Structures are given as C-alpha cells and as structure tokens.
Amino acid sequence: MIAKVIVDVPTNQTNRPFDYLIPEEFTHVIDIGMRVIVPFGPRKILGYVVGFEERTDVEKVKSLEEVLDVTPVLTPELLRLGKWLASRTLSFYISCLQVMLPQVLKAKYKKEIWRIEEHLPEELENLFQGSDVLTSEEWEASSFKYHHLKKWVDDGYLDVRYEVKSKETKRKITVIEPGAEPVRLEELIAEIPAQAKKQRALIDFFVDYPDPIPKKDLLNFVKTTDASLNPLLKKGYLQSYSQEILRDPYEGHTFTSTSPPPLTRYQQQAMDEIVDSVKNEKPDVYLLHGVTGSGKTEVYMQSIQEVLARGEEAIMLVPEIALTPQMVERFKGRFGSKVAVLHSALSAGEKYDEWRKIQRRDVQVVVGARSAIFAPFRNLGLIIIDEEHETSYKQEDRTRYHARDVALKRASEHGCPVVLGSATPSLESFARAQKGNYRLLELPERMNEQAMPTVELVDMRDELHEGNRSMFSQSLKAKLEERLQKGEQSVLFLNRRGYSTFVMCRDCGHVVECPYCDISMTYHRNQERLKCHYCSFEKPMPSKCPECESKTIRYFGTGTQKVEEHLQQLIPEARIIRMDVDTTRRKGAHEKLLTKFGNNEADILLGTQMIAKGLDFGNVTLVGVLAADSLLNLPDFRASEKTFQLLTQVSGRAGRHEKEGEVVVQTYTPDHYSIQLASTYDFNRFYEEEMKYRKMFHYPPFYYLTLLTVSHPNTFQAQEVTRKIAQYLKQNLSETAEVLGPTPSPLERINNRYRYQTMVKYKSEPDQQKYVQRIMNYYESEMKEQNGLQIIVDFQPYQLM
Ligand code: ADP
Ligand code: ZN
Ligand code: ZN
C-alpha cells in the first residue's frame, strides 16, 4: 500500500502529495489525517496522510518512517477544507493544514553531526573532544563552514542526521491506590509501628475511600510527604501508577451554573428561525443585529442548547479581545464541562489539551477566537460569530483567511446554519442581508430597557479658538472632576494606530485629502511630502492650510504616555491606570489592571483599542473619546465604518448597570456623518450614507478587492516589479477590472525593505487566481534568495498598509 503524504516543505514544487510505501507494521494503524515522519532528500520531516493508493508510478519509492498519531488529527472534512483554503488564499496546502492545528502538533526538527569514524583529523577531534555527536548549534558556533562539513562527510568521517519530533507534551500525574482489599487494609495498619502515625493515616484513608486518588491530593489530605508514602509503596501496601490528564486552564475555578431565562418576544422570534434551520439542516446565514445588551448572547446560548439536545456540536467565535473572563463564565456557567475554550492567553499545552477535548469528543461546544473555526467537530449543528464586523477575524499573515468565509464553507459541508451577530454589522454583511442572501434578525431593545448613554460632541476647533490648547476640552475636564467628586469612574479612549500619519488644520479642522481618491493623504516625514497610497498622487507638505490659510496645519502625533502626563497635570488628584501595548506586555498584566480598576483602585482608565471591548463595570458613568478623528483619517476606505463601530462600542461601556452613563466625544469634524450618526446610534442611516460613498468610489461591498504588496531592499526593484505586475494584470483581467498603482504603501519602509502596492477592484474575475498564481510562479526564484523579493497577495484585504 502507498500513502499519499503532504510534506512539511512550503514551496511551489512540493505543493502536492508525495508517495510513500507503508511498512507492514503500520498497515493496520495508519489512517487518513494522521501525521507521519517521512524521509525527504537527506532529511526526515513531518507529513500528513491525505490518501491511499494500491500502487505508484514512482521508481524507488521510499518507505515512511513512523506514524505519529493513533487518532487522526485532521478529519476528512478538514482535509478538504484545507485544499479549498489553499486555492482561495493561494497558500501552500501544508500551511493550510497546519493553520488548522494547535502549535504543538507542528514538528520540531533537530539536526546533528555524528562521528562515524573512530579517529578524526586533529582539528575535528578538538571540536568533538571525544564525544560522538554535536548539535547543529555547536557546529555553527565553531569556526568551520558548510564546505568543510561537506568534505568531511564525503571523506567518511562525519554524518549529518536529522531528527524530527512532535512538540506535543502530555501531562501526567501519579495516582495512588490501595494494594489490597479494604478489609485487608485494617490488618495492614496493625502491622505498622504505632509511632509511624502518618503511614497509618495514609492506609486508613483507603479504608473508607478505596478508589484511586492523585498522589498530590492524598498527601495534601493526610498532610504528609513522600517520606511516609514511599515505604508503603515499597511494601506493596499501596500502589502507584501514572495517568495522563488533560490540563484544565480553569482548574480550581467554580462556575455558578445558570439556567436559561424565558426569552423576550424578539429573542424568541430570532431563536425560532435559527433553530428551524438547525432542525432542517439548512446552511442558512443569519445576521443578528442588536445593540450591546439587547440579549444576543442569550439567543446564542439557547440556540446552542437546542443543538446539543440533538446530539450535535456548536462553534462560537468571539474576537480575542472580547474573550474575557466574563464571557467564559457565562458559557461555562450554562454548559459546564461541555465547553472547551480556545484563546491566546492559554499556554501551548493548555491549548492543545482544550483542542483534544474536542478531538476526543469530550466537549460539544467550543468558545474561541478566530482559529477555533477549525475545531475538529464531526457533527456541527451551528456556527456563531459574535461581533462579526471585527477585523481580527481575518488572519493577517501566511494563510490570509477570513473566519466568516471558513464558517460558511464548513456550514455548507455540515448542513448547519451560521449566525453572525453585531451591534454594528460590517457593510458587507448588512448589504447581503438587505439583498436577502443573509436573513436579518433584529433585537431592537436593550434588556434593561435603558436608553443608550447620551453622547456630547465637542468641537475641538472651538476649544482652540477659546484659547484652550490642551487635548482635553473644558467640558470633558469638568465631567472628569465631577466623577472624581462622586466617587464614580471614567474611561478615556485614545486611538493610537495611524495617529501620526494624517495632516490636519487645527484651526478649521481641514484634513488634506487626495483629490482623486477622497482618502486622507499620508505624511511621509523623511521627505516632508504627502502621498496618496491608492493612486500615488503626491505633493509637498503645505506650510499653511489650503482652506483657511492658517499656519496651524500639522500632522498628528501623541501617544498614550503623553496623554497620561497631561491628564495628571490637569487633574493632579486623579488616580490613573494606563492600558496600552507597553503596560500590558507581560502575561496577565491586562487582567491585573482591569481587576484593579474594577476594585475602584483608580478613577480613570486611559487606553487604546484594547479597552474598547468587553469591559463591564457598573461604576463607570463617563466615557471620553479624545480624538475621534484619528481613526477617521486613516488611509483606509473603511475609516468611516471603523469610526462608527468604535464610537458605538465605546459608548456602550458607560452606564451598563443602574447608574446612567454619559459620553463625550472630542472631534475636529463634528459634522462628519459617521460621528454624527454614531452619537445618535443610528446604524441604518449610517449604512445608507456609507453605501453611497462606497458605490461612488468603487469599494466593497460593490466591488471586490485584491491587494498585492511587493517589498524589496531596493526601492527601484520594488517599484519596478509592482509596475510589471500591475501591467500584467491590466492586460489579462477583464475590461471592467480596475488596476491601481504601483503606489508606495502607507508604511513605505519596514525593516529596510521598500514596499509598493497594486490594488485590483473588480466585480467578477473568475480567472484572477490563475493569473496571480502565474505571477507568483514567475517570481518564485527571485523570492527565494535571501533578502530578495517578497510578494504578498491578499484577497479581500482588511489591512491596507
Ligand atoms: P448582548 O449579547 O446583546 O450584549 P446579553 O445576552 O449579554 O446581550 O444580554 C444583556 C443582559 O441581559 C445580560 O445580563 C443577560 O443575562 C440579560 N438577559 C438577556 N436575555 C434575557 C432574558 N430573556 N431574560 C432576562 N435577562 C436576560
Ligand atoms: Zn484651516
Ligand atoms: Zn489618490
């Protein structure tokens, strides 16, 4: 028998199954979806079995070395999904298989240099110093080069051996059980000297509880140590063995169990429709639209309950940042041990064990971030994506997939519905719901029947005219002080991303935009120029405002640290917690700061994006947004949409409970529709406005996009390759496709590599993948050389930089 194996070598030439003979010993254990170790050239590497055949045309076919799994790690469905993913994203099949699995199932490769001759030349003997083997690190640290190694291998002194190991580790514990029947134990106690009290107590323990018990627990209970236990094990009175256990990241944590409350009319309607599709096994897609607190999560949970009752399984995706202890609490409280949780704060071992609970069918529900969409369930009944508009559902490196697309694909395979939930759906999804491709479910009311907090828009231009040059308006300052007096808390939000790239007049609020694209131009400091990264139009940085001639035109640049300093000067008695990438780098720091804030150990929480979601504190009655424009002026056609989403989201942080909340939004463009409409929570009107703009400028959801980013240490090379690619696409794609560029990326240089882009806007280009693949093949050799060319293709990009 022959196994078809996808090998762990991500290149174009190896992007196909290779044939290996299955040795006799493995013929009964090997299965599709298992990991194997195979010889490949001089090396041994990891591979995945994707099929079997009776015979092969390959001459001198090699045998596979080892089978690593007893249960397949990939189901046949996931193998098909991997193939689909590879063609959708133009990635290697192997990368797509690996993206579906926990890190620890990837291979660890070891290279060693072995002595195969007793007497080595002197210089080598000095290096080996009598030992038989050197690690490749030891070899590299020596003064010898690769050509020396090759010569000594050819001369028969040395051999290079490769070893491959799986990184997985299983956690084992020691378990103790009695070595005799309970009745005999009493007699044994009598045989132990009276002064050995602890030994007696250890045996006595099993008289009442003869079941095996973890050693740790036993010693804890009897309050003793190995010193007392070991003699008993030696005599055979007690026995020990080791047992594999799954790590539980929530060990020691008790979850209060909850039962489902009766649903409101709207909730019930939504759930009935979803459950109807579950029962009829129809892959319908629902868009559940409802503001924060409208009861979406309760609809998810009760729908999942129906799915479980049918003996099926459910995947619930939430953005990483929203996977808070509160969220886990709710799911564990409702579904108990039926839930696995997958998110990045878990250790690699914990993630693996959570994943194995799914693989072993110990659980039926997974709550997790993006990659949980690949949970190896075999009997999916429902997939839910909460906060579906979140861009973190798109993977931004290697296999550039969107979890929503994968969800739809899996749903069609399993015949199960998908529910997309959000208070501010993406334009793409809402447009599909409007067209009837998705089914729209609305939850128009908040559960606590409280209105959303009122939003005050503060025009920062007026502040400047009144002589206030600080970044805090009079109104915000007064409100912060008021909270301090009342012992209530405030959250201040600052968006840092892209903060320093756009240029604005502080006098009139005018932002310099590209005359051809209606997108803010990007400031490139080293040349003192403004560039449009869509069409490459550029001009020098103006010295005065083209609108009002004021000289206060400048680019924006302020970090959270600076804001904290200013704030402290402004309100010296305030206790401030700053949360940004710098203060949360250490593991667990995020939770610690939030707990501190929750315990009222600070008055003001100041932070970036990361505080926008999930946090739910009853004492927060004021939310301030320092510079609403910073997101609005990103060189991104989704800037307005992101601004609307973010403002809606941060506003939802105030007045979550009994106390009423208030929101202050500082802006230089209070008339912009996304800011205006966010302040009145009017999603539908925002949708209409934004759709006009998208239509006019040919953006999604009216057009699809493909973004190719070329980088090279030489700026001319990068530009030239991009130009050729753009030209090739122009020649081959249909008349209706628009090919833009080459244009410098807004992040023009990263790591001394220059980056250029070309963007395709299109309605339908069935052959596009083929042409892009040809481009990649054409440049493959140039891309391999060190420091050479790199081309990244992103279909339906979310990050345009
Ligand atoms: P969302 O997910 O839209 O933010 P949730 O499902 O979290 O909304 O609901 C908001 C609050 O209302 C939660 O505290 C939840 O427990 C409660 N809740 C939701 N549905 C009901 C219901 N039918 N009866 C009573 N309380 C509910
Ligand atoms: Zn101006
Ligand atoms: Zn432009």
Side-chain angles (χ1 to χ4, degrees):
M1 277 286 272
I2 298 294
K4 299 273 192 195
V5 176
I6 297 291
V7 294
D8 184 11
V9 184
T11 64
N12 263 336
Q13 294 85 359
T14 52
N15 194 24
R16 61 172 179 87
F18 284 79
D19 291 358
Y20 288 95
L21 211 62
I22 305 170
E24 182 64 33
E25 52 183 315
F26 295 129
T27 47
H28 294 294
V29 292
I30 195 165
D31 202 352
I32 286 179
M34 284 182 179
R35 295 170 304 151
V36 290
I37 293 175
V38 295
F40 195 80
R43 297 180 293 161
K44 280 176 201 144
I45 59 174
L46 186 96
Y48 296 83
V49 179
V50 295
F52 296 115
E53 245 158 48
E54 294 287 329
R55 25 177 281 106
T56 176
D57 301 332
V58 180
E59 286 172 45
K60 291 196 225 152
V61 62
K62 291 182 187 164
S63 292
L64 59 84
E65 291 272 332
E66 210 179 313
V67 177
L68 286 179
D69 299 307
V70 275
T71 326
V73 295
L74 290 162
T75 62
E77 184 233 343
L78 289 177
L79 288 173
R80 286 196 300 277
L81 187 70
K83 204 162 208 173
W84 171 84
L85 204 56
S87 75
R88 280 281 293 229
T89 60
L90 284 194
S91 318
F92 302 117
Y93 193 15
I94 183 71
S95 312
C96 292
L97 297 181
Q98 283 174 334
V99 82
M100 298 196 261
L101 293 172
Q103 276 290 328
V104 294
L105 290 181
K106 285 193 197 160
K108 190 163 76 180
Y109 295 102
K110 214 164 76 184
K111 180 172 153 191
E112 291 171 338
I113 322 294
W114 284 75
R115 164 210 298 266
I116 51 173
E117 180 66 39
E118 198 172 339
H119 300 287
L120 297 181
E122 198 183 324
E123 39 186 349
L124 264 187
E125 197 57 73
N126 286 340
L127 181 61
F128 274 75
Q129 304 217 351
S131 87
D132 282 337
V133 53
L134 288 185
T135 65
S136 69
E137 290 80 30
E138 286 169 322
W139 176 269
E140 248 127 57
S142 77
S143 57
F144 299 114
K145 294 277 164 0
Y146 183 76
H147 67 265
H148 299 112
L149 178 63
K150 186 166 179 343
K151 181 171 176 299
W152 282 317
V153 169
D154 291 345
D155 293 350
Y157 290 115
L158 301 178
D159 187 21
V160 179
R161 293 181 191 166
Y162 296 90
E163 226 201 312
V164 46
K165 276 203 191 109
S166 177
K167 284 190 282 192
E168 79 215 73
T169 56
K170 292 179 178 162
R171 181 162 141 198
K172 301 228 162 104
I173 54 163
T174 308
V175 179
I176 309 291
E177 63 177 6
E181 292 299 305
V183 281
R184 257 290 279 160
L185 291 177
E186 310 238 15
E187 297 167 27
L188 291 177
I189 293 176
E191 287 170 26
I192 298 171
Q195 65 270 31
K197 278 200 194 110
K198 290 294 179 187
Q199 291 195 22
R200 289 179 149 219
L202 279 169
I203 297 191
D204 193 43
F205 176 89
F206 290 100
V207 175
D208 295 329
Y209 307 100
D211 296 332
I213 174 176
K215 182 170 107 175
K216 203 171 113 224
D217 295 348
L218 176 68
L219 296 180
N220 254 338
F221 188 84
V222 180
K223 298 198 174 50
T224 185
T225 61
D226 280 323
S228 313
L229 178 64
N230 287 340
L232 299 174
L233 293 173
K234 217 174 248 164
K235 289 197 195 117
Y237 295 178
L238 300 179
Q239 291 172 350
S240 86
Y241 58 94
S242 98
Q243 187 182 49
E244 192 212 326
I245 57 154
L246 294 179
R247 280 158 277 224
D248 181 1
Y250 299 97
E251 199 174 304
H253 191 119
T254 45
F255 296 97
T256 333
S257 91
T258 63
S259 39
L263 296 179
T264 64
R265 184 165 57 91
Y266 292 115
Q267 283 177 318
Q268 191 66 49
Q269 274 172 4
M271 174 167 148
D272 286 347
E273 288 212 39
I274 295 166
V275 170
D276 200 53
S277 299
V278 171
K279 290 190 172 150
N280 293 314
E281 308 196 346
K282 292 226 292 270
D284 298 321
V285 184
Y286 291 95
L287 180 60
L288 182 61
H289 178 210
V291 291
T292 324
S294 60
K296 296 187 294 296
T297 310
E298 195 55 51
V299 173
Y300 304 149
M301 291 199 292
Q302 298 203 22
S303 305
I304 290 175
Q305 192 136 17
E306 293 288 321
V307 170
L308 299 191
R310 290 169 47 85
E312 296 177 340
E313 297 131 358
I315 296 176
M316 159 97 182
L317 294 190
V318 294
E320 185 70 59
I321 209 155
L323 198 48
T324 55
Q326 283 129 314
M327 183 62 110
V328 173
E329 183 93 38
R330 282 181 83 175
F331 272 79
K332 289 267 188 182
R334 189 66 59 84
F335 301 110
S337 58
K338 294 196 175 90
V339 188
V341 177
L342 286 172
H343 65 96
S344 67
L346 303 185
S347 72
E350 286 171 339
K351 265 188 229 162
Y352 171 53
D353 283 359
E354 289 295 292
W355 178 87
R356 277 209 306 154
K357 289 183 194 165
I358 306 167
Q359 190 202 21
R360 291 157 44 137
R361 305 201 196 167
D362 290 349
V363 296
Q364 289 74 44
V365 184
V366 62
V367 179
R370 181 179 60 226
S371 63
I373 195 59
F374 299 114
F377 284 131
R378 290 162 184 269
N379 210 2
L380 271 175
L382 179 62
I383 302 175
I384 294 164
I385 304 184
D386 191 30
E387 315 250 20
E388 70 90 29
H389 61 276
E390 273 294 314
T391 49
S392 64
Y393 285 126
K394 173 78 186 288
Q395 168 138 323
E396 291 297 354
D397 59 358
R398 276 155 74 82
T399 312
R400 294 183 160 72
Y401 70 90
H402 196 296
R404 198 198 295 129
D405 298 334
V406 178
L408 297 189
K409 179 70 181 166
R410 290 199 77 182
S412 71
E413 289 263 338
H414 285 266
C416 78
V418 176
V419 178
L420 309 173
S422 177
T424 51
S426 63
L427 255 71
E428 284 91 334
S429 293
F430 203 75
R432 284 186 192 123
Q434 295 291 314
K435 277 175 78 178
N437 296 349
Y438 295 173
R439 289 157 74 171
L440 188 62
L441 304 170
E442 299 260 10
L443 296 180
E445 289 164 5
R446 283 188 118 184
M447 287 311 301
N448 61 5
E449 282 166 25
Q450 271 201 17
M452 292 294 280
T454 51
V455 179
E456 181 195 351
L457 296 180
V458 177
D459 189 338
M460 291 304 277
R461 295 169 303 187
D462 294 345
E463 295 286 320
L464 188 75
H465 293 155
E466 282 158 23
N468 177 11
R469 297 190 157 268
S470 101
M471 54 184 92
F472 296 92
S473 62
Q474 293 301 327
S475 169
L476 183 56
K477 176 170 185 270
K479 286 186 171 149
L480 283 169
E481 283 169 339
E482 195 189 307
R483 293 309 181 292
L484 226 58
Q485 267 154 27
K486 286 204 271 183
E488 295 175 355
Q489 292 172 296
S490 311
V491 171
L492 287 185
F493 181 79
L494 175 82
N495 183 62
R496 226 179 46 132
R497 243 177 70 207
Y499 205 47
S500 63
T501 56
F502 73 101
V503 169
M504 184 173 74
C505 170
R506 290 190 59 173
D507 226 329
C508 73
H510 175 76
V511 170
V512 183
E513 289 182 344
C514 172
Y516 305 106
C517 302
D518 206 18
I519 274 181
S520 57
M521 296 189 73
T522 303
Y523 174 63
H524 288 247
R525 184 184 291 206
N526 42 2
Q527 299 135 327
E528 279 285 309
R529 286 178 82 77
L530 299 177
K531 297 184 184 181
C532 169
H533 95 104
Y534 282 84
C535 73
S536 70
F537 172 78
E538 58 177 274
K539 61 181 189 182
M541 169 77 186
S543 57
K544 55 187 182 195
C545 173
E547 203 61 33
C548 75
E549 311 227 308
S550 159
K551 287 212 166 83
T552 59
I553 187 158
R554 49 196 58 133
Y555 68 92
F556 265 61
T558 322
T560 34
Q561 201 170 351
K562 216 160 154 200
V563 176
E564 186 187 13
E565 286 165 22
H566 283 216
L567 183 59
Q568 200 69 78
Q569 279 165 15
L570 197 71
I571 314 178
E573 65 277 22
R575 296 167 304 163
I576 305 167
I577 290 181
R578 173 164 62 96
M579 261 176 82
D580 56 20
V581 276
D582 294 328
T583 62
T584 56
R585 200 164 283 140
R586 277 206 332 273
K587 200 185 163 197
H590 192 212
E591 281 76 42
K592 223 177 258 164
L593 290 176
L594 283 182
T595 310
K596 221 171 131 189
F597 188 64
N599 292 338
N600 267 312
E601 287 170 49
D603 307 299
I604 300 173
L605 179 64
L606 166 71
T608 51
Q609 266 95 332
M610 64 175 68
I611 62 170
K613 260 153 244 155
L615 83 174
D616 184 4
F617 298 112
N619 199 30
V620 172
T621 57
L622 176 65
V623 167
V625 179
L626 291 181
D629 314 84
S630 56
L631 205 55
L632 201 53
N633 293 303
L634 279 181
D636 182 339
F637 70 91
R638 287 192 180 87
S640 302
E641 184 182 0
K642 285 181 178 165
T643 301
F644 182 86
Q645 287 164 350
L646 200 71
L647 289 181
T648 310
Q649 199 141 46
V650 291
S651 303
R653 295 307 116 206
R656 298 275 292 171
H657 300 267
E658 302 83 44
K659 293 178 190 165
E660 229 174 279
E662 210 181 349
V663 180
V664 175
V665 174
Q666 301 189 157
T667 168
Y668 288 89
T669 46
D671 300 325
H672 192 282
Y673 63 95
S674 71
I675 292 177
Q676 279 286 328
L677 295 172
S679 77
T680 54
Y681 305 98
D682 195 342
F683 175 80
N684 289 319
R685 265 195 59 203
F686 170 75
Y687 171 77
E688 281 165 24
E689 286 298 316
E690 182 66 10
M691 286 294 271
K692 283 184 210 156
Y693 160 83
R694 299 285 178 92
K695 188 170 184 180
M696 186 146 58
F697 290 99
H698 295 189
Y699 283 120
F702 295 96
Y703 280 73
Y704 293 111
L705 300 180
T706 301
L707 180 67
L708 284 115
T709 304
V710 177
S711 70
H712 195 279
N714 179 314
T715 174
F716 176 75
Q717 279 293 333
Q719 195 174 357
E720 188 53 22
V721 171
T722 318
R723 194 187 59 76
K724 281 189 190 145
I725 290 175
Q727 196 176 28
Y728 178 80
L729 289 172
K730 264 177 212 157
Q731 281 162 2
N732 288 286
L733 295 179
S734 76
E735 292 272 285
T736 55
E738 297 163 37
V739 182
L740 307 175
T743 156
S745 160
L747 297 168
E748 203 180 327
R749 190 168 63 154
I750 297 179
N751 281 335
N752 277 329
R753 299 176 62 87
Y754 291 87
R755 306 168 79 239
Y756 278 79
Q757 301 182 328
T758 177
M759 165 102 81
V760 186
K761 295 177 175 176
Y762 65 97
K763 289 260 194 198
S764 165
E765 296 294 330
D767 291 334
Q768 181 186 221
Q769 311 286 99
K770 191 178 77 190
Y771 295 124
V772 176
Q773 183 66 62
R774 279 191 199 153
I775 292 169
M776 299 306 267
N777 293 351
Y778 179 80
Y779 285 107
E780 191 184 17
S781 60
E782 277 180 69
M783 284 198 275
K784 232 183 283 172
E785 286 161 41
Q786 240 187 355
N787 298 326
L789 183 69
Q790 194 189 30
I791 303 174
I792 294 170
V793 195
D794 196 351
F795 298 104
Q796 312 335 318
Y798 283 80
Q799 247 180 36
L800 302 170
M801 317 219 243

